[in-house]
């Protein structure tokens, strides 16, 4: 019922920036909590950042001060601005939307390497 389309991943050098986007389609999305998780090979999926329907944000300590999550309810889109990227940020980034149930995007790969 809810479809998520992620974009913005790619290859970037350490210290560089990327902006991820996740466009959602469905109903009641303005009421949804939205966020980003990531998973690197051999590691568990972890929370990166979330934003509530009211705009309250939560960040993982590892990205605090470098990443910014935002949402545009008119476009049903959540963004993740990633600055000062580090090699440890390399992972597949997944969009998550929670409204009545959880929905996950297919993921977009971010590679931080020289």
């Amino acid at each position: 019922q809810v479809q998520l389309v992620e974009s913005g991943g790619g290859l970037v050098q350490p210290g560089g920036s990327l902006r991820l986007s996740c466009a959602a389609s469905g109903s009641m999305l303005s009421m949804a909590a939205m966020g980003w998780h990531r998973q690197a090979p051999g590691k568990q999926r972890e929370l990166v950042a979330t934003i509530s329907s009211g705009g309250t944000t939560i960040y993982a300590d590892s990205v605090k001060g470098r990443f910014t999550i935002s949402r545009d309810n008119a476009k049903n889109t959540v963004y993740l601005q990633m600055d000062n990227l580090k090699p440890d940020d390399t992972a597949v980034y997944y969009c998550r939307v929670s409204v009545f149930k959880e929905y996950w995007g297919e993921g977009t790969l971010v590679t931080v390497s020289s």
Side-chain angles (χ1 to χ4, degrees):
Q1 188 172 6
V2 173
Q3 303 288 323
L4 306 177
V5 180
E6 299 150 319
S7 62
L11 175 65
V12 65
Q13 293 184 327
S17 297
L18 287 173
R19 188 168 89 143
L20 306 182
S21 298
C22 175
S25 61
S27 61
M28 307 297 292
L29 292 173
S30 64
M31 306 297 177
M34 309 181 80
W36 293 91
H37 292 63
R38 67 186 182 187
Q39 187 169 22
K43 302 183 72 174
Q44 296 185 72
R45 187 175 299 188
E46 64 176 351
L47 170 72
V48 177
T50 63
I51 184 167
S52 73
S53 60
T56 301
T57 58
I58 298 175
Y59 295 93
D61 287 342
S62 59
V63 307
K64 195 172 298 182
R66 300 187 298 118
F67 291 10
T68 303
I69 189 170
S70 61
R71 65 192 292 167
D72 184 339
N73 287 333
K75 297 181 179 179
N76 292 324
T77 300
V78 62
Y79 305 94
L80 185 68
Q81 177 67 43
M82 304 185 293
D83 297 322
N84 192 23
L85 283 159
K86 303 176 180 180
D88 284 349
D89 295 320
T90 296
V92 177
Y93 285 70
Y94 297 91
C95 178
R96 175 186 176 271
V97 172
S98 180
V99 52
F100 299 111
K101 62 173 291 185
E102 284 189 351
Y103 298 89
W104 293 87
E106 293 184 359
T108 184
L109 177 63
V110 172
T111 302
V112 185
S113 176
S114 299

